Amino acid sequence: MPGQPAAGATHARGNAAAVAEPFGTAPDGTPVDRWTLSNGPVTVRVLTYGGIVQSVEVPDAGGRVTNVVLGFADLAGYVEHNNPGPYFGALIGRFGNRLAGGRFTVDGRTHQLPLNEGPNTLHGGPEGFDRQVWTTTDVSDGEVAGVRLTLVSPAGHQGFPGTLTTVVTYTLDAASRLTVHYEATTDAPTVVNLTNHTYWNLSGEGSGNVHGHVLQLDAEGYLPIDGTLIPTGESAPVEGTPFDFRTPTAIGDRLRAGHEQLVRARGYDHTWVLGPTGEEELRRAAVLHDPASGRTLTVATTEPGVQFYSGNFLDGTLVGTGGRVYRQGDGVALETQHFPDSPNQPGFPSTELRPGRTYRSTTVFELPGDVRAG
């Protein structure tokens, strides 16, 4: 496969290292690799299947290193359970989140996508980017460990117009920042909304729920949803509601408040409105802190929204990387993205991409590698 490394290949300069190893075979027979990115005290493992972040290992306040993201121990777990399912760690495309009725219109032509969540299309359809094997190129240098993933999605795949070429680069620097940079181009007008669906538990994967994690979201408003989890089109103020995380608040404090929106989603599964930014301008979106371990995750992005999902549909039927069962609330996803159903919502920022233009998006997940007290 073009750009694929030899089995067990290592690319290291300075303290930054990228190591590739075989990780099984996709259902169509394509070999899958796992890349291990290491730089200082943090290690990140990424699969070529779905561009999945399988693990992020980082020390706690006592120096103990633990994987802090949810996932499966082997490729079979992702193939059999991740879609439909939780989308653990996956790259999501062509269109992250939901599209009402699985349809949208571009230049007067309506496109129908396969439905995979009731009456809607979720995360690009049943064979989205999360189920594709991406080609890879090492991009490590003296400062960062990195891998670039490339996928060409042909016109008509999952009903989307245009051949879309997507390049996603994961880099890990010495300051324990995992940067995810997205680029995409098309040969015909289409819609694009890319994100990553990693679930975080800063106490450690499989350690229990995250209700005691303290979350801050830098947003004045959020998007209410209807009964099928599609935004109503309005942006509602967070003030005076369980959606106000402008000051650090434990996730579980108001999770059972009985608010109609929490009932509809079985918890938090909404987009918070961050406001517009420049194409290359990063702004802080969220800070997640775990008092038990001392770990803190800071998320910065160029995107206008962040989907906060509190793991509402984890139901005890999946066994995770460490051999423990995942139950409701055992992880939280912070998916930076454009708004759900944007092509059908004229008041939302546009997600259209046209030939000659390049879609660009960047998100940085910062997990300090040395969080020792004192």
Side-chain angles (χ1 to χ4, degrees):
M1 182 177 298
Q4 293 294 94
T10 302
H11 307 267
R13 300 172 181 85
N15 292 322
V19 180
E21 61 183 329
F23 198 72
T25 304
D28 67 357
T30 304
V32 173
D33 288 324
R34 177 170 68 178
W35 283 81
T36 297
L37 309 180
S38 57
N39 202 346
V42 176
T43 301
V44 177
R45 291 183 172 86
V46 177
L47 308 183
T48 57
Y49 179 83
I52 288 167
V53 176
Q54 186 201 21
S55 67
V56 177
E57 298 173 8
V58 63
D60 67 6
R64 294 176 294 271
V65 176
T66 304
N67 172 28
V68 296
V69 304
L70 277 56
F72 298 108
D74 55 24
L75 181 61
Y78 293 101
V79 171
E80 295 170 14
H81 303 299
N82 220 30
N83 176 0
Y87 299 90
F88 289 143
L91 291 178
I92 301 298
R94 295 186 186 192
F95 200 94
N97 220 305
R98 296 172 174 90
L99 285 166
R103 68 177 67 91
F104 60 90
T105 301
V106 176
D107 292 349
R109 181 180 176 186
T110 299
H111 301 272
Q112 180 65 56
L113 315 181
L115 307 180
N116 63 333
E117 191 192 51
N120 306 318
T121 297
L122 175 66
H123 292 332
E127 295 294 330
F129 285 5
D130 60 291
R131 293 181 63 84
Q132 312 304 312
V133 179
W134 299 58
T135 59
T136 53
T137 305
D138 171 61
V139 292
S140 303
D141 60 25
E143 301 297 325
V144 303
V147 61
R148 178 178 297 132
L149 297 92
T150 302
L151 180 70
V152 178
S153 175
H157 183 248
Q158 297 296 280
F160 289 94
T163 296
L164 190 77
T165 300
T166 301
V167 179
V168 179
T169 306
Y170 288 106
T171 55
L172 177 65
D173 67 18
S176 304
R177 291 182 296 238
L178 175 63
T179 298
V180 189
H181 179 69
Y182 309 80
E183 292 190 0
T185 56
T186 182
D187 64 359
T190 191
V191 297
V192 182
N193 187 23
L194 306 179
T195 189
N196 175 275
H197 209 294
T198 294
Y199 291 64
W200 302 89
N201 185 326
L202 299 183
S203 284
E205 174 271 338
S207 63
N209 68 55
V210 296
H211 295 171
H213 283 35
V214 177
L215 177 64
Q216 182 174 0
L217 295 171
D218 295 339
E220 304 282 336
Y222 78 101
L223 303 181
I225 54 174
D226 65 17
T228 68
L229 309 186
I230 294 290
T232 62
E234 65 173 320
S235 176
V238 299
E239 186 170 0
T241 76
F243 294 83
D244 191 349
F245 285 90
R246 291 174 296 176
T247 58
T249 304
I251 289 173
D253 275 4
R254 298 166 299 189
L255 192 59
R256 305 185 187 281
H259 191 282
E260 179 189 22
Q261 286 291 308
L262 294 178
V263 172
R264 286 182 177 178
R266 301 188 190 180
Y268 296 105
D269 193 5
H270 299 74
T271 298
W272 270 253
V273 179
L274 302 175
T277 64
E279 190 173 78
E280 302 296 333
E281 179 187 353
L282 284 167
R283 60 172 290 170
R284 193 179 76 172
V287 180
L288 183 68
H289 175 69
D290 173 33
S293 68
R295 295 185 180 97
T296 299
L297 169 69
T298 301
V299 182
T301 188
T302 59
E303 288 295 291
V306 57
Q307 183 88 2
F308 164 36
Y309 171 58
S310 55
N312 315 330
F313 294 95
L314 299 176
D315 60 4
T317 61
L318 301 176
V319 178
T321 312
R324 298 179 65 86
V325 166
Y326 293 148
R327 298 192 180 278
Q328 189 177 51
D330 280 0
V332 56
L334 296 165
E335 307 157 59
T336 56
Q337 58 187 253
H338 269 58
F339 300 164
D341 200 38
S342 291
N344 302 312
Q345 305 277 0
F348 288 177
S350 175
T351 53
E352 287 191 8
L353 179 66
R354 295 184 171 273
R357 303 294 300 272
T358 301
Y359 169 103
R360 292 185 177 91
S361 173
T362 302
T363 294
V364 179
F365 299 97
E366 182 175 357
L367 271 160
D370 185 356
V371 293
R372 301 180 189 218

